[in-house]
Amino acid sequence: MVTFFFFLIVVVYQLLISDIPLVALYHARIYIFPIILYFVLRNTRISLTNLKSIIRAIFVVAILVSIYGVVQSLFLKSDFLLKIGYPTLSNGQLSHVFFLSGISGFQRATSTFVYPNTFAFFLGLVFLVSFFNKELVFFKNDKIYYLGNFLILMALFLTFSRSVFLSLAIILFISKLRKINEISTKRLSILMLSISFFVLLTLLFKNVGIFKVVYDYSIRTFTLQDTSAVGHLNSYTHSLEIMKNNWFGTGLGYNGPKALMNFSNPNLTESSYFLMQFEVGIIGAIFYFFIYLSILFYSFKNSKNNTHCTTRNINLTTKYLIIFVLTSYLFLPYIQDIETMFIFWGFLGILDNRSNGVYTNAN
């Protein structure tokens, strides 16, 4: 809370000196409102029954948008997005972010979200919560739980979001090292075997359908033929130069994809870390990301004191969500996607709820 207060002071200062106060205010609410939601949910009395209902409802929504995303990507394709009014370039076509560089004929799954990477980020958050907290997403029939996660992973796969793939891989690797409990280890083993089986199929059928897309995409990524992969590296170099020349920021509202609504040539960067530094300066960025770290440290401390399975998994999930998000921030400016930020901070709020230990032990 103290760190958030200091961050607010920096933001207010940026607003006072801004020559575009309304635009700056718009950007400020993107960063502030989701964190306020966290504090509200964290300090609201939430029973175990209500917690399960909330998590289960979000899980069901994720399944529905996943089904739509798969159908839209594989069958309706990009023409459908054009018909329903997705923004286009000057040539009347969708932006390149909907497609894979150098691979024609395939449109990345985006579902109801504005971009595929945003969709992937949302699915990554929901999958982590459901995977490590089966008891919170419990259905009378286990098949619904496993089928739901399968559909979420299928849609996630069709987004071809490298940042989310890598972030999830890191979390799964960490959880495998921890060997959380027998059930989680079993689910993790099944997941790893499924991934290995799919990799084998891709190698065997590398010239057929979706397997060809996966194979070509992987080769182009690892050999840096993919323009998107190279673009990340170039963006870091360019962003570092901007930061070195503007330690106290370039001005709140002049940066990131949201600034494209008001400026034709804003300061764009692939990294959320650079983006926050551009917006509020190095001091403001430190305060902002320390909010994440303070919650992370609190969860580590809390997990050591909890022996109840449900509470321990909740604390572990909080840590995994933060690590997942902080890793994803390295690659894309997710920090300006306010809708997914509300989902992320909302998850943290209900999982980090102060009444968790009370109602879990009581039940």
Side-chain angles (χ1 to χ4, degrees), residues 48 50 66 68 101 109 111 131 142 150 159 177 192 197-198 220 227 231 256 266 271 281 308 328 331 341:
L48 181 59
N50 289 337
S66 294
Y68 169 66
S101 173
S111 189
F131 186 79
D142 269 3
F150 172 76
T159 65
L177 291 179
M192 298 307 292
F197 180 67
F198 184 80
R220 291 180 62 83
T227 55
S271 168
H308 193 284
S328 300
F331 308 105
M341 285 296 97

Side-chain angles (χ1 to χ4, degrees), residues 61-356:
V61 169
I63 293 173
L64 294 176
V65 296
S66 294
I67 294 172
Y68 169 66
V70 171
V71 172
Q72 189 280 311
S73 174
L74 296 181
F75 302 104
L76 301 178
K77 301 189 176 183
S78 58
D79 288 342
F80 179 76
L81 295 182
L82 293 173
K83 289 179 181 178
I84 62 176
Y86 266 67
T88 59
L89 302 175
S90 57
N91 59 4
Q93 299 300 312
L94 293 172
S95 169
H96 68 278
V97 298
F98 289 91
F99 306 97
L100 299 176
S101 173
I103 302 175
S104 59
F106 179 80
Q107 179 239 303
R108 301 166 63 191
T110 193
S111 189
T112 58
F113 291 75
V114 65
Y115 292 123
N117 286 320
T118 309
F119 180 38
F121 189 76
F122 165 74
L123 293 180
L125 293 172
V126 176
F127 175 73
L128 285 177
V129 173
S130 66
F131 186 79
F132 292 109
N133 296 275
K134 183 182 177 183
E135 62 277 8
L136 296 182
V137 197
F138 178 75
F139 292 91
K140 291 183 178 180
N141 190 335
D142 269 3
K143 293 179 181 178
I144 297 177
Y145 171 81
Y146 288 109
L147 178 60
N149 276 299
F150 172 76
L151 291 170
I152 288 173
L153 287 176
M154 180 186 292
L156 178 60
F157 167 72
L158 292 176
T159 65
F160 284 87
S161 176
R162 280 182 295 251
S163 59
V164 172
F165 291 169
L166 179 58
S167 300
L168 281 178
I170 290 173
I171 298 302
L172 294 177
F173 177 74
I174 294 173
S175 65
K176 182 65 175 177
L177 291 179
R178 287 187 56 89
K179 295 182 180 178
I180 307 168
N181 55 52
E182 184 180 347
I183 297 176
S184 294
T185 302
K186 180 181 177 181
R187 291 200 295 268
L188 186 60
S189 299
I190 293 173
L191 178 62
M192 298 307 292
L193 285 173
S194 301
I195 294 174
S196 300
F197 180 67
F198 184 80
V199 171
L200 178 61
L201 287 178
T202 300
L203 294 175
L204 291 175
F205 301 100
K206 61 183 181 182
N207 294 315
V208 181
I210 191 65
F211 297 110
K212 176 176 172 56
V213 175
V214 175
Y215 181 79
D216 291 345
Y217 179 73
S218 301
I219 295 298
R220 291 180 62 83
T221 297
F222 289 118
T223 58
L224 294 182
Q225 297 178 50
D226 186 279
T227 55
S228 176
V230 176
H232 283 295
L233 300 177
N234 293 336
S235 173
Y236 298 147
T237 303
H238 177 65
S239 299
L240 189 59
E241 289 299 317
I242 295 177
M243 187 183 78
K244 288 193 296 186
N245 295 322
N246 300 274
W247 285 104
F248 296 101
T250 59
L252 185 60
Y254 286 106
N255 313 283
K258 292 296 184 184
L260 287 169
M261 296 187 298
N262 298 286
F263 306 102
S264 59
N265 190 32
N267 297 308
L268 300 177
T269 177
E270 297 285 336
S271 168
S272 292
Y273 295 101
F274 282 120
L275 177 54
M276 183 54 70
Q277 191 278 327
F278 294 170
E279 290 278 67
V280 295
I282 189 67
I283 297 176
I286 291 174
F287 284 141
Y288 178 80
F289 290 112
F290 197 80
I291 299 172
Y292 291 75
L293 297 179
S294 61
I295 299 172
L296 182 63
F297 294 147
Y298 173 80
S299 297
F300 271 110
K301 179 182 177 182
N302 230 20
S303 60
K304 293 180 180 179
N305 300 325
N306 282 309
T307 57
H308 193 284
C309 180
T310 301
T311 310
R312 185 174 65 249
N313 285 346
I314 285 174
N315 284 315
L316 283 171
T317 306
T318 299
K319 290 186 290 188
Y320 290 151
L321 284 175
I322 294 173
I323 295 172
F324 167 78
V325 168
L326 290 178
T327 305
S328 300
Y329 281 173
L330 288 168
F331 308 105
L332 285 171
Y334 291 116
I335 208 166
Q336 282 196 345
D337 292 320
I338 190 170
E339 295 82 7
T340 50
M341 285 296 97
F342 271 124
I343 295 293
F344 166 63
W345 286 104
F347 270 144
L348 288 190
I350 60 177
L351 294 176
D352 199 24
N353 189 276
R354 288 190 171 187
S355 62
N356 276 345

